[in-house]
Amino acid sequence: MDEKEAALRQEIVQIGRLMYDKDLICGIDGNVSARLDDERVLITPSGLPKGLLREDQLFIVDMAGVPVDSDVVLQQGLKPTSELPMHLEAYHQRPDVQSVVHAHPPLAVALSIAGISMSLNILPEVILMLGRIPTAPYSLPSSEENASAIRTLIREHDAIILERHGSLTVGNSPMQAFMRLESVEQNARILFMLAQLGDGNPLAAGSELSSYEVERLMEMRERMSLGKRFA
């Protein structure tokens, strides 16, 4: 095992614990992956609590999803996460993406059911960190449908809400993808508070930033190398 793989195993286990500790997943929810190189991905297993993972329980798969160099994990009776197709879709569509995090942030999911869009331009920090946050239509969890649902959106966005299901965030490392997840749920928390203060619709408060301010933030995002200049 080289230094990069060892470091990524450690970081993925750390992210699993952080997601659990911050109530962004529960039970055996969620999954995390990272590129090892152009041909291989390191990813969490199915059926285990991500807050209690060990480094030797992570799988290496190729870009077709076939386990490679994973004899020790297979001997434990484990298999890669059932959301593997969605992770691989993100990597296929975005050569720049080095890590993918899928979680079930409760407020973000609740807003998707209530029909409150996370793409509202409310917080300047969220626009800087993420750009806009679209919502993918409902698809069956743990199926190929999820990969199809994000296929177009992931090309242009660093964070996606999966209707009634959870979120998908990507980054240049597991930690960046996790921090983007935190930003998603913080945005959802504020939208939820805003809805309580108004008539249930954050737009009723007239709180969206102007298109001029959004454009300025997008320019700053690009200038600060915080991400691509997405639509």
Side-chain angles (χ1 to χ4, degrees):
M1 183 186 306
D2 61 22
E3 291 184 7
K4 178 180 180 179
E5 180 183 335
L8 282 174
R9 285 179 180 273
Q10 184 178 28
E11 189 173 2
I12 287 174
V13 167
Q14 178 188 22
I15 297 309
R17 289 172 182 157
L18 285 170
M19 288 197 296
Y20 183 80
D21 289 345
K22 291 179 176 289
D23 297 324
L24 297 168
I25 57 173
C26 69
I28 61 173
D29 290 352
N31 27 82
V32 184
S33 68
R35 282 189 200 265
L36 285 171
D37 51 43
D38 291 341
E39 304 297 330
R40 300 178 305 153
V41 169
L42 188 63
I43 194 162
T44 52
S46 176
L48 294 182
K50 306 313 175 294
L52 299 173
L53 278 182
R54 300 193 314 266
E55 294 170 22
D56 67 336
Q57 292 173 321
L58 304 182
F59 272 89
I60 298 175
V61 299
D62 64 19
M63 294 304 287
V66 178
V68 294
D69 300 328
S70 298
D71 290 346
V72 173
V73 186
L74 291 170
Q75 288 168 10
Q76 297 178 54
L78 300 175
K79 58 183 179 180
T81 172
S82 58
E83 298 289 7
L84 176 59
M86 183 168 61
H87 285 250
L88 293 178
E89 187 66 35
Y91 293 123
H92 284 305
Q93 298 297 332
R94 293 276 301 279
D96 61 303
V97 165
Q98 298 299 309
S99 182
V100 177
V101 169
H102 167 50
H104 296 175
L107 283 176
V109 173
L111 293 187
S112 79
I113 297 170
I116 297 177
S117 174
M118 291 280 285
S119 66
L120 297 173
N121 296 311
I122 303 292
L123 300 177
E125 293 82 4
V126 171
I127 297 172
L128 280 175
M129 282 286 291
L130 300 174
R132 290 192 176 92
I133 309 171
T135 298
Y138 173 76
S139 57
L140 184 68
S142 301
S143 74
E144 293 281 351
E145 292 178 19
N146 273 339
S148 299
I150 69 157
R151 182 165 297 140
T152 300
L153 292 175
I154 199 61
R155 296 171 188 165
E156 297 296 325
H157 300 279
D158 289 334
I160 299 172
I161 302 302
L162 309 171
E163 184 181 340
R164 297 178 178 268
H165 182 189
S167 65
L168 188 77
T169 52
V170 299
N172 60 21
S173 67
M175 183 57 72
Q176 185 183 60
F178 167 74
M179 289 191 295
R180 285 172 169 169
L181 163 61
E182 281 195 301
S183 292
V184 166
E185 185 67 350
Q186 177 73 349
N187 190 44
R189 186 176 294 109
I190 292 172
L191 286 177
F192 175 74
M193 293 176 180
L194 187 57
Q196 290 181 311
L197 293 171
D199 67 352
N201 182 353
L203 283 176
S207 51
E208 276 206 283
L209 291 165
S210 68
S211 58
Y212 170 72
E213 289 300 330
V214 172
E215 179 64 21
R216 292 176 68 197
L217 287 163
M218 286 292 193
E219 290 175 356
M220 185 181 295
R221 171 179 165 84
E222 188 175 34
R223 189 168 62 250
M224 296 173 66
S225 299
L226 294 174
K228 289 185 176 180
R229 185 184 177 80
F230 295 140

